[in-house]
Amino acid sequence: MNPVNDENSTMSDEQQTIQNITDQDYKYGFVTDIEMDEFPQGLNEDIVRMISAKKEEPEFMTNWRLKAYRQWRKLKEPKWPKLEYDEVEYDELYYYAAPKTKDAPKSLDEVDPELLETFDKLGVPLEERELLAGVAVDAVIDSVSVATTFKDKLGELGIIFCPISEAIKEHPELVKKYLGTVVPYTDNFYATLNSAVFSDGSFVYIPPGVRCPMELSSYFRINASKTGQFERTLIIADKGSYVSYLEGCTAPMRDENQLHAAVVELIALEDAEIKYSTVQNWYAGNKEGVGGIFNFVTKRGLCAGARSKISWTQVETGSAITWKYPSCVLKGDNSVGEFYSVALTNNYQQADTGTKMIHLGKNTRSLIISKGISAGKSNNAYRGLVKVNNKAENARNYSQCDSLLIGDQCGAHTYPYLEIENPTAQVEHEATTSKVSEDQIFYLNQRGISTEDAVGMIVSGYAREVFQQLPMEFAVEAQALMSVSLEGSVG
Amino acid sequence: MAENTKQLANWIQDQLQADHDQNFALSAQTRAASLKILDAGVFPTRKDEEWRYTPLNTLLDQNIGAAKSDVPNADSIQTFKNAVPEAHHLVFINGKFSESLSDDLDSVKESGYTVKLMSQLTSDEQLQAEGTIRDAKLSDDNIFQHLALGLSQFGLFLDVANHTEVKTPLHLLNVATHEASTSLTNPVNVIHVGVNSRLKVIEQFVSLSDAQAVTIPASFMALEEGSGLEHFKIGLESDSTDHVSNTSVQVGANAHFTSHQYLLGSRLTRSNMEVGFAGPGASTTLRGIYLGDGTQHLDVRTYLDHAHPHCNSDQHFRGILNDHSRGVFNGLVLVREHAQKTDAKQSNKNLLLSRDARVDTKPQLEIFADDVKCAHGATVGELDEDALFYLQSRGISKEDAGLMLTRAFAAEITEDIGIEPVQEYVEANISSRLNELSLANV
Amino acid sequence: MLSIKDLQVSVEGKPILKGLNLEVKPGEIHAIMGPNGSGKSTLAHVLSGREGYSVDAGTAAYKNLDLLDMAPEIRAREGMFLAFQYPIEIPGVNNTSFLKKALNEIRKHRGDEELDAIDFLSLIKKQMKLVEMKEDLLKRPVNQGFSGGEKKRNEILQMAVLNPTLAILDETDSGLDIDALRIVAGGVNKLRSEDNAFVVITHYQRLLDYIVPDFVHVLSDGKIIKSGTKDLALELEERGYDWLLEKAESPS
């Protein structure tokens, strides 16, 4: 029973409205009934070998995976985040699940129509002519990429945009050179697990001097039950190139917790720029906190070359548990790292998210804008590290980490770590906490705007700096998503 | 006992064995829990989140010698007494109360004001003092606090009755004198301020010449409704001294606790202050400066527990780090559910004056109530170049300009001290420390 | 249009309005004056539906609807507008998009078609001239970083755009210099018509030099103790409130 119901008698109209808003349903919660190819439950060296064999990988990959697997067996799940959850039974998961097809589809015409329909329902039409102009999509369901659009057009510019499984076969030299260089297989419990068992994900390579003419986008979906999803994304922007990349995520509603442990590695060479945006809307569990995705993700970008720039933008509204810290290693002189985040938690969701900005090169700059929104009985923590190495002359960082609380049952936490070893650094961190005030709601009411809309407007206004970083069409989607995710939250 | 070959652990074991023929500050009953924790002998490492930036190797390796009992002559400590001319002075040599160097305890007493050594408490007073300690919600993890609770032979009990304003500040002067071996001092002090009462306490930690010392004090303070306590801590110990202090404060409804900490000396200082609000309308002001040179390591931890509505906290700490020194600020503000209308401010600013100085700062908020105002900020930087240039263009040397700006940076904290001679004394010590610094990088 | 009968309102058990009567007809401007603490702002808040006030007795009918039973946004959509004494700041919410949303909610409610961005912009630009407001204020978040005068002008701009049937101005003159006062009053005067009505709440007579009321009411201790024409306001200006208060207290 929803504990809030006990208080119905004393609930004001405003609380009721908020309740109503927050009671809306997760609209991506359907399950697609497709025949699946699944490996046996559990994890051992054989499963790792089977995944590698299934993907027809070269030996270096199989060995890399095995090294990662052996390392993972030695590691323990981290306990430091401000998260509480039942332990994941790693040996009861399925580590490979894929829609059954005879061969990989050569074109969209060969993709199972049921799958295309799934992505249609999700608002990710894969048919190229229907696509939003200028967005190429790689769609990943459970463990494999099912379709990548606009490949040919991009190919003309020398841009490689394909499933990583394909890149391992077609472009082993690039994969071998860069895979694991930013997130080594020893990095952390989840990344190490991912290194052993990842089955698919996206691969992007932008050749020198090329400005990618369209948004590249991955769409991740977990469909199968009891599976873990472990995608791996690798993006390389060669000298002087530019790419903007967006990922979106959804999953069906199930009352079990599902594991998602992805790794994203970005490499920006001299003068290159990568803009990586995420709209994460994995199933968050129901109002009592049953079910939902455990989202343990390692995302890191390396500004390898001088004057390179990596910018992370994330809108995190889904998942029962979010653990992710998209980070930038600012190695190149004059390189720039940015992190813009909106994390919204409602009901029993928990998020521990933030970033790390590691300043190694001279004149490196970083910016952190984090907007946490806590509602319901959720807990939302910002955890971030700004580290200025002894050799990093004239580093600059500015961090602004704000929390908005909706209701008095939730928690908002800020854990910034500033480690400064160079006197020429200028580092500044600020954080504030605010609430959606009754005065603001009344003011908007008095102008004819409903409480529901008023809360949506106030929250969007609060998160605006971050939305502005998103590509236009996704900014609109993200705002809409916020309102839906806020259902039942004000009181 | 855990496997631990560290000197300090050995010393503790020796004390635990020798236990029975010594006089301890606290009752056996109160000590029992602490002794268990000491026997387990688990010291924190840098894997413990709260000790992430502060290694304890040197401290744990100190070879503790037998306590020396000879008392220095009065002249040698007069300069420290001058810090607070209009105060009652109580002097402790290597932890032990010195009757000859202190003001007469009877003369210190005012009506409604009790100042007593722990060893001289009546059983009622002991009950009260130990009650204050128990109210502090001790944590098993804090072995240093238990080192004082379990093994301390010395301590002081200050009790101000209800509706009493103690006019004369109390100056507690802790002097370390050991030179050939290291002294260990672990006093337990309890301060209780009654309803609507007022008290000012200035605690000073100093060394004679190059005395070697490990100082591990534990203080417990309780402020009853509507009362006020101003506490000042001035650390001027030699660079052969390691200092790990724990202060636990309970602030009652509408009471106000003020703390100033000036950490200017020692090799290693870890100052942990936990302030809990025990009723609505309670408030606290925390101020501090850590000024490091050489290889000094200065670590300030604060933990503020907003457990009641309408409580305010205002923290401002500044670090000045020169040479190879390291500064740490680790502050947490916890706002519990129902602690509505909390107003919590937390600010930490740091000045790095040399290539090899380092600062780690972690200003944290944990908030479980929505109608609150919480803000924190932290900055790290060097002296403002425009300001330096401006002063130079007026004919001031770069070095003097750097000194002026650094002093000004510190003065924004010291100007709140509120007791003029203490402010002058602290500022003079900061200035003389700064003058010693080779501000080569300025 | 607005008919208040024996309205009694308390806040946290303390009676504020103690039986207030007021009739407002289309085309009229009513001024409500009174000393501090007489209940002026309470009246404005109760009429616009602010929470925290308990109506203990009496009725308020607006366009023959039971006003007190309506949610604040419905009152607004029915054409009631409150110019706030202290306009609220809403960080990040763009002034223009807020106003467009409000206008379209009201239009929807009336069954009018919603305005598109272009029509809306031309409307708002026209109305901005009315209050001599700088255009960059439109791009900023609602009331954030506005000066006191700018906030009040923003209120009048909103009124001009939303075009209410009944506007309540709650001490709109407080904190305004004479130029701003002239502009704000000018806005009101241009908006007045035979179909709408204004209730102007003010402490000082000064505003009434610019907005000439048809009726002046003196509110004291939760009741209207005297009503008259604009001459009453002038008399108050000269003699203060005391003579009226004394009169009210003495048994008649």
Side-chain angles (χ1 to χ4, degrees), chain A residues 160-178:
Chain A
I160 304 169
F161 178 41
C162 67
I164 197 161
S165 55
E166 187 180 317
I168 289 169
K169 283 184 280 186
E170 309 284 327
H171 309 282
E173 70 300 338
L174 282 173
V175 173
K176 203 169 176 178
K177 184 169 174 191
Y178 291 109

Side-chain angles (χ1 to χ4, degrees), chain A residues 324-485:
Chain A
K324 70 182 271 203
Y325 314 91
S327 305
C328 296
V329 180
L330 303 169
K331 189 175 165 202
D333 291 347
N334 301 294
S335 60
V336 177
E338 292 175 343
F339 174 75
Y340 299 91
S341 170
V342 171
L344 186 156
T345 53
N346 195 3
N347 299 319
Y348 286 87
Q349 278 179 278
Q350 303 177 65
D352 194 299
T353 184
T355 183
K356 294 182 201 173
M357 293 291 174
I358 314 289
H359 292 257
L360 302 176
K362 294 183 175 58
N363 307 315
T364 47
R365 283 177 292 144
S366 62
L367 175 69
I368 297 171
I369 305 287
S370 164
K371 303 275 180 178
I373 300 154
S374 319
K377 294 181 188 287
S378 69
N379 269 293
N380 197 329
Y382 166 83
R383 188 183 302 276
L385 168 69
V386 175
K387 187 173 176 72
V388 177
N389 187 273
N390 186 249
K391 301 281 188 303
E393 298 293 318
N394 296 314
R396 296 286 177 269
N397 161 268
Y398 177 74
S399 309
Q400 172 82 44
C401 303
D402 295 331
S403 306
L404 184 72
L405 291 101
I406 302 178
D408 56 4
Q409 307 280 303
C410 53
H413 318 298
T414 317
Y415 304 105
Y417 296 67
L418 278 57
E419 303 181 357
I420 314 302
E421 298 175 12
N422 186 303
T424 60
Q426 295 284 352
V427 175
E428 198 174 342
H429 169 96
E430 284 184 90
T432 63
T433 302
S434 55
K435 61 178 261 187
V436 175
S437 83
E438 282 161 28
D439 285 345
Q440 290 173 334
I441 293 176
F442 177 66
Y443 189 77
L444 294 172
N445 282 163
Q446 211 297 312
R447 298 298 183 255
I449 296 165
S450 68
T451 298
E452 190 174 317
D453 287 350
V455 172
M457 279 175 95
I458 293 164
V459 171
S460 294
Y462 162 81
R464 203 175 144 192
E465 270 174 282
V466 175
F467 287 145
Q468 281 171 343
Q469 297 301 318
L470 287 171
M472 187 60 181
E473 54 275 34
F474 297 109
V476 174
E477 189 189 315
Q479 291 214 20
L481 194 57
M482 299 274 290
S483 307
V484 173
S485 304

Side-chain angles (χ1 to χ4, degrees), chain C residues 214-225:
Chain C
D214 300 301
F215 300 97
V216 173
H217 310 277
V218 178
L219 186 61
S220 170
D221 194 25
K223 279 185 190 167
I224 287 175
I225 53 165

Side-chain angles (χ1 to χ4, degrees), chain B residues 50 54 245 261-263 269-273 286-291 297-303 315-319 326-332 348 360-362:
Chain B
E50 295 305 335
T54 300
S245 72
Q261 303 187 51
Y262 296 97
L263 310 180
T269 289
R270 154 79 160 203
S271 171
N272 177 36
M273 179 167 279
L286 306 182
R287 294 285 181 273
I289 286 178
Y290 41 99
L291 193 167
H297 187 115
L298 305 170
D299 174 339
V300 172
R301 177 178 184 264
T302 64
Y303 184 97
Q315 303 184 60
H316 195 160
F317 288 86
R318 290 192 169 189
R326 277 186 73 165
V328 179
F329 175 75
N330 172 9
L332 187 136
N348 173 235
D360 298 294
T361 170
K362 212 172 78 167

Side-chain angles (χ1 to χ4, degrees), chain A residues 261-333:
Chain A
V263 172
V264 175
E265 292 179 279
L266 311 182
I267 294 137
L269 301 182
E270 231 171 82
D271 297 304
E273 181 177 347
I274 302 174
K275 201 171 150 59
Y276 193 105
S277 312
T278 304
V279 175
Q280 185 265 106
N281 185 27
W282 296 118
Y283 177 52
N286 69 9
K287 281 161 205 78
E288 282 77 43
V290 177
I293 301 292
F294 286 175
N295 192 32
F296 299 112
V297 173
T298 305
K299 291 182 167 176
R300 197 174 303 148
L302 173 64
C303 284
R307 296 168 303 278
S308 55
K309 178 177 176 184
I310 288 178
S311 177
W312 298 99
T313 303
Q314 62 174 21
V315 176
E316 303 280 319
T317 60
S319 297
I321 305 260
T322 297
W323 179 99
K324 70 182 271 203
Y325 314 91
S327 305
C328 296
V329 180
L330 303 169
K331 189 175 165 202
D333 291 347

Side-chain angles (χ1 to χ4, degrees), chain C residues 124-133 135 157 183 190:
Chain C
I124 200 169
K125 285 200 172 148
K126 195 180 101 199
Q127 303 293 26
M128 277 183 84
K129 290 198 191 107
L130 204 66
V131 290
E132 298 175 32
M133 205 161 108
E135 232 174 84
L157 171 69
I183 291 163
K190 275 178 212 156

Side-chain angles (χ1 to χ4, degrees), chain A residues 78-231:
Chain A
K79 292 280 172 260
W80 49 260
K82 198 171 180 63
L83 302 172
E84 282 172 26
Y85 54 94
D86 294 336
E87 287 207 10
V88 178
E89 298 293 342
Y90 288 92
D91 287 319
E92 285 174 19
L93 288 178
Y94 291 96
Y95 285 85
Y96 184 84
K100 228 171 206 167
T101 46
K102 290 181 193 90
D103 290 299
K106 298 276 184 296
S107 74
L108 280 181
D109 303 338
E110 291 177 29
V111 174
D112 184 343
E114 185 106 24
L115 278 176
L116 287 181
E117 201 184 308
T118 299
F119 281 96
D120 265 346
K121 267 199 234 173
L122 295 168
V124 188
L126 294 176
E127 307 216 19
E128 292 182 34
R129 59 183 175 278
E130 282 181 16
L131 283 176
L132 294 162
V135 183
V137 181
D138 182 22
V140 177
I141 194 159
D142 293 326
S143 300
V144 294
S145 172
V146 293
T148 308
T149 61
F150 282 106
K151 260 166 93 171
D152 296 345
K153 195 173 168 197
L154 293 168
E156 287 164 22
L157 293 164
I159 295 171
I160 304 169
F161 178 41
C162 67
I164 197 161
S165 55
E166 187 180 317
I168 289 169
K169 283 184 280 186
E170 309 284 327
H171 309 282
E173 70 300 338
L174 282 173
V175 173
K176 203 169 176 178
K177 184 169 174 191
Y178 291 109
L179 186 76
T181 56
V182 187
V183 181
Y185 72 83
T186 52
D187 197 79
N188 69 69
F189 183 83
Y190 307 109
T192 302
L193 177 62
N194 174 289
S195 301
V197 302
F198 78 88
S199 39
D200 223 330
S202 299
F203 177 85
V204 176
Y205 172 78
I206 315 287
V210 172
R211 201 181 158 85
C212 185
M214 57 180 79
E215 301 281 342
L216 301 186
S217 162
S218 274
Y219 202 88
F220 297 109
R221 170 149 182 96
I222 298 177
N223 192 53
S225 165
K226 276 197 171 171
T227 49
Q229 175 149 326
F230 306 93
E231 79 265 357

Side-chain angles (χ1 to χ4, degrees), chain C residues 193-205:
Chain C
S193 77
E194 285 183 4
D195 303 322
N196 61 24
F198 292 82
V199 174
V200 180
I201 294 172
T202 181
H203 188 73
Y204 301 104
Q205 193 270 337

